[in-house]
Amino acid sequence: MLDLLRADRVVTVVRAPEIGDARDLCAALVAGGIHVVELTYTTPDLPRHLERAASTAAETGAVVGAGTVQTGAQAKQAIDAGAQFLVTPGQGPEAGAIAEAARAAGIPLALGALTPSEVMTALALGSDAVKIFPAHQFGPKYFKDLSGPFPGVPLIPSGGVNAGNARDFLAAGALAVSAGTDVVSPADVAAGNWPDITAKAAAFCKALQ
């Protein structure tokens, strides 16, 4: 996952009330240049979608993980369904259990954080990268400030990142950015508008150049 993020500089975060077909969704994103796909627990029946996406990953070329993971039980459930990485929105009381589940499975983990103290806690728990959320509330300058005490730490801004500000976050030191509704609107995902998603993914990737 981290190698792909260094190459693509973007992960897509999918939040939708329904996913028409997770395999087709991943194929559409890869066709637009985005290979790292985060399906979230805000989508009902997430394990089924994860299993579909993971079982066809060799075909689509996507690396698929689970996001909005908040408990150890969710972490294990996602891993059993084939998740190749885990992402949390923050650090709740079960952050340690989530980290342990990721370690046991040998998959990358990105714990959510906002403050320097939370970044330090995420690193102490073994997070491979740290998701900074909500990034748009503080902007790219905050990312540059974080890079001072945490040089070389893979930081990923999430929340409010779009084609207009993504390059600024990368220039401020982000490993990669999270693309949300700019690329995968809930309506497009639910309706299976795969050509539109491919076009939006390609446009987002172009904006990063």
Side-chain angles (χ1 to χ4, degrees):
M1 180 193 76
L2 292 179
D3 288 342
L4 272 176
L5 287 181
R6 290 186 182 96
D8 284 1
R9 310 302 302 276
V10 57
V11 52
T12 301
V13 181
V14 181
R15 297 192 186 279
E18 180 54 67
I19 297 175
D21 187 302
R23 181 264 172 212
D24 290 345
L25 168 62
C26 290
L29 288 166
V30 171
I34 299 177
H35 296 81
V36 183
V37 181
E38 177 186 331
L39 304 182
T40 66
Y41 264 100
T42 54
T43 298
D45 202 13
L46 177 68
R48 176 172 64 87
H49 298 303
L50 274 174
E51 187 171 355
R52 169 67 171 158
S55 66
T56 56
E59 177 185 347
T60 63
V63 173
V64 184
T68 321
V69 179
Q70 300 184 55
T71 68
Q74 285 182 335
K76 292 176 182 177
Q77 182 185 56
I79 291 167
D80 288 343
Q84 295 169 281
F85 61 89
L86 302 177
V87 183
T88 75
Q91 296 166 40
E94 296 201 37
I98 295 169
E100 177 57 35
R103 274 196 300 272
I107 64 172
L109 169 68
L111 290 172
L114 180 60
T115 67
S117 294
E118 291 172 345
V119 173
M120 291 174 67
T121 301
L123 295 174
L125 287 171
S127 193
D128 299 282
V130 182
K131 182 180 83 170
I132 304 300
F133 175 83
H136 72 102
Q137 294 290 346
F138 293 83
K141 185 179 182 304
Y142 181 63
F143 249 73
K144 188 173 182 180
D145 292 340
L146 282 178
S147 296
F150 303 112
V153 173
L155 301 176
I156 303 171
S158 181
V161 180
N162 54 51
N165 62 22
R167 283 184 63 184
D168 293 334
F169 279 105
L170 294 176
L175 167 72
V177 296
S178 294
T181 55
D182 235 26
V183 172
V184 282
S185 76
D188 282 345
V189 175
N193 291 332
W194 312 131
D196 286 351
I197 287 174
T198 295
K200 290 175 181 177
F204 193 96
C205 290
K206 185 176 181 180
L208 300 181
Q209 298 173 3

